[in-house]
Amino acid sequence: MRRFEGKTVFVTGAARGQGRAHALRLAREGADVLAVDVCAPLGTVAYPLATPADLAETARLVESEGRRVVTAQVDVRDADALGAAVADGVARLGGLDVVLANAGIGLMDPAADPRQAFRDQLDVNLVGVWNTVHAAVPVLLEQGRGGAIVLTSSAFGLTGRGGDGSGGGDGYVASKHGVVGLMRTFATWLAPHGIRVTCVNPSGVATPMVLNPAVEALFGGPLTEDGGKSPEDVANLLDVTLVDPEDVSAAVAFLASDEARYVTGVALPVDAGMLVR
């Protein structure tokens, strides 16, 4: 079933991880893709971010599905650059139907200035989502045919767990709660235009944001199925340590599809039961 035949999706954080998985899932179901990623380091982040080669690989994989792709190296904190990327992508791909505001950062370097770490979390994870939606919405409104927007929050956006008094930890939890708030107010704002807005709230996902030496050092070992039990504040109810990015992509594909035509304003956990513990 090709639910996105003839549609175009705009994905941020598309070079690897969840963003790449989302782009590929929708491409397999017929979508052309505007794939955006910063592809550059951020000094306060404890692990390497994606590279231009990663973004090129995402493009190659989308094209291998027989779909068109436009890429841009853009920092979601730069609203003007995002707007220009959307305008270029729409001109080349012929429209816009789905927006996946996925770009985000995770574990921060413990040696970083905590004030800067806190600000960087908010700027990328929250302001970046606001910038992404506001770059895309004028196009959706001008087209007048509705659309779907899915934001990436976190299970930590729906619970008091996750913060530890550090700039990075508190900033992550605050930003992911903020994404849920943006989703709800965007859903209210855009419903009269037939544009639905939802978010996904995963627990730990098997991507480079989690599978890296910095996280291993924090938790005393790799957070994989054979890496032992997770620490209590990130342990899932079901017997899996990390969900796969494709598990989140399945939820995103549903929320973005016409099958969810009356679903808006919803935060959907993909968390293997972490939040009911």
Side-chain angles (χ1 to χ4, degrees):
M1 181 172 60
R2 292 170 67 87
R3 294 178 290 185
F4 300 98
E5 193 72 47
K7 295 186 177 182
T8 298
V9 56
F10 168 36
V11 188
T12 63
R16 65 184 192 187
Q18 291 185 60
R20 176 186 285 176
H22 301 345
L24 291 181
R25 175 60 185 262
L26 270 66
R28 290 188 188 109
E29 296 199 35
D32 295 324
V33 179
L34 169 57
V36 167
D37 203 294
V38 65
C39 298
L42 181 59
T44 53
V45 177
Y47 56 92
L49 298 183
T51 67
D54 292 323
L55 186 58
E57 177 64 6
T58 294
R60 186 192 71 79
L61 291 168
V62 169
E63 289 174 340
S64 75
E65 300 293 337
R67 307 314 306 166
R68 296 179 298 161
V69 60
V70 173
T71 63
Q73 291 179 222
V74 176
D75 190 329
V76 293
R77 296 174 295 177
D78 186 338
D80 291 339
L82 269 179
V86 169
D88 178 62
V90 168
R92 294 167 64 181
L93 297 173
L96 183 61
D97 302 279
V98 176
V99 179
L100 306 181
N102 166 79
I105 54 175
L107 184 66
M108 305 302 266
D109 186 340
D113 181 335
R115 297 164 297 184
Q116 188 61 51
F118 183 79
R119 285 193 294 270
D120 285 347
Q121 290 279 11
L122 294 178
D123 284 346
V124 175
N125 293 350
L126 184 59
V127 177
V129 167
W130 193 90
N131 287 341
T132 299
V133 171
H134 279 271
V137 162
V139 176
L140 298 178
L141 294 179
E142 182 178 359
Q143 291 174 161
R145 60 175 188 249
I149 299 171
V150 184
L151 315 180
T152 300
S153 179
S154 165
F156 283 170
L158 296 171
T159 179
R161 284 177 280 175
D164 56 5
S166 68
D170 292 350
Y172 184 83
V173 173
S175 66
K176 293 303 186 178
H177 274 75
V179 170
V180 175
L182 283 182
M183 177 273 295
R184 289 169 174 158
T185 194
F186 287 161
T188 302
W189 164 40
L190 295 170
H193 305 282
I195 300 169
R196 301 181 298 101
V197 188
T198 56
C199 68
V200 286
N201 295 70
S203 54
V205 184
T207 70
M209 182 182 286
V210 174
L211 300 177
N212 62 69
V215 171
E216 290 182 17
L218 179 65
F219 291 118
L223 290 178
T224 59
E225 282 73 16
D226 56 2
K229 290 295 183 182
S230 302
E232 186 66 16
D233 67 341
V234 296
N236 296 328
L237 185 63
L238 297 176
D239 189 20
V240 60
T241 305
L242 301 173
V243 302
D244 290 327
E246 292 77 13
D247 296 316
V248 186
S249 297
V252 167
F254 166 70
L255 290 172
S257 75
D258 290 341
E259 292 179 74
R261 61 180 180 162
Y262 297 133
V263 179
T264 194
V266 168
L268 177 60
V270 185
D271 67 343
M274 191 192 90
L275 289 172
V276 302
R277 288 176 52 256

